[in-house]
Amino acid sequence: MKYSILIIALIFSGLSMARNYNDNIAYGKVIDVRPVYERVSVPERQRVCERPRYREKRANTGGAILGGIIGGVLGSQIGSGSGRDAATAVGVIAGASVGANHPSHRQQRPRCYTDVRYRQDRQLSGYDVTYEYQGQWYDTFMTRHPGDRVRLAVDVQVIE
């Protein structure tokens, strides 16, 4: 029995506090709403590939010498007498030609990476609101559009 009386007392005191809180709420009539924009930097990522720079072909001296030696050895294996000398000379020339034109380095691949560039954009940051309350006009900034009225917390203070 004691507990039920206590519970009922708590409920009534809570309702009276809520009523007092709601008494402090008022509404003002919205007169004007102006959107406020700010400049923002928006990142944009894009893949960029650079082609390798063209390299002028240089003579492959090491390849020419090695090719000449191999061609000379192979040419000396063919024929006999003066034919052998001619085959060796042709082998040296052919081997040196092939060795000089052989690429001594790998072909370079394009170099790719992700580049971030920023573009300027306008973004809505909120609203400048003019409203009327008890015959006076007030200005405020709100992050959401207020509609046709704004909700106000009214506070009364004692001035000595």
Side-chain angles (χ1 to χ4, degrees):
M1 180 76 172
K2 290 181 183 180
Y3 292 114
S4 60
I5 294 173
L6 181 63
I7 292 173
I8 292 172
L10 286 174
I11 291 173
F12 278 116
S13 66
L15 289 175
S16 67
M17 283 195 287
R19 187 172 45 91
N20 288 341
Y21 175 74
N22 286 336
D23 288 344
N24 294 341
I25 302 291
Y27 292 92
K29 180 183 175 188
V30 172
I31 304 299
D32 188 29
V33 178
R34 294 168 307 284
V36 176
Y37 294 95
E38 64 182 346
R39 290 202 173 275
V40 292
S41 293
V42 179
E44 291 181 336
R45 290 171 171 63
Q46 58 186 166
R47 187 168 168 83
V48 177
C49 293
E50 295 176 348
R51 290 185 183 173
R53 292 186 180 149
Y54 174 74
R55 286 188 175 175
E56 197 173 304
K57 281 191 175 182
R58 290 183 266 162
N60 189 357
T61 309
I65 293 172
L66 185 61
I69 292 171
I70 293 172
V73 169
L74 291 176
S76 68
Q77 302 298 319
I78 299 172
S80 60
S82 64
R84 178 177 283 184
D85 294 338
T88 301
V90 169
V92 168
I93 293 170
S97 174
V98 169
N101 291 325
H102 185 270
S104 62
H105 62 315
R106 293 183 191 169
Q107 186 176 5
Q108 292 182 353
R109 294 183 179 172
R111 189 180 79 119
C112 297
Y113 59 93
T114 301
D115 188 26
V116 179
R117 295 190 180 161
Y118 293 88
R119 67 174 169 82
Q120 296 296 315
D121 200 5
R122 285 179 35 172
Q123 183 177 14
L124 180 67
S125 61
Y127 301 91
D128 282 333
V129 178
T130 302
Y131 65 94
E132 179 188 7
Y133 177 67
Q134 291 186 345
Q136 291 189 343
W137 287 23
Y138 300 92
D139 292 312
T140 189
F141 177 81
M142 300 180 75
T143 56
R144 287 185 252 163
H145 195 284
D148 59 347
R149 64 183 189 160
V150 290
R151 194 170 150 189
L152 306 170
V154 180
D155 187 22
V156 179
Q157 295 180 6
V158 175
I159 299 175
E160 292 187 40

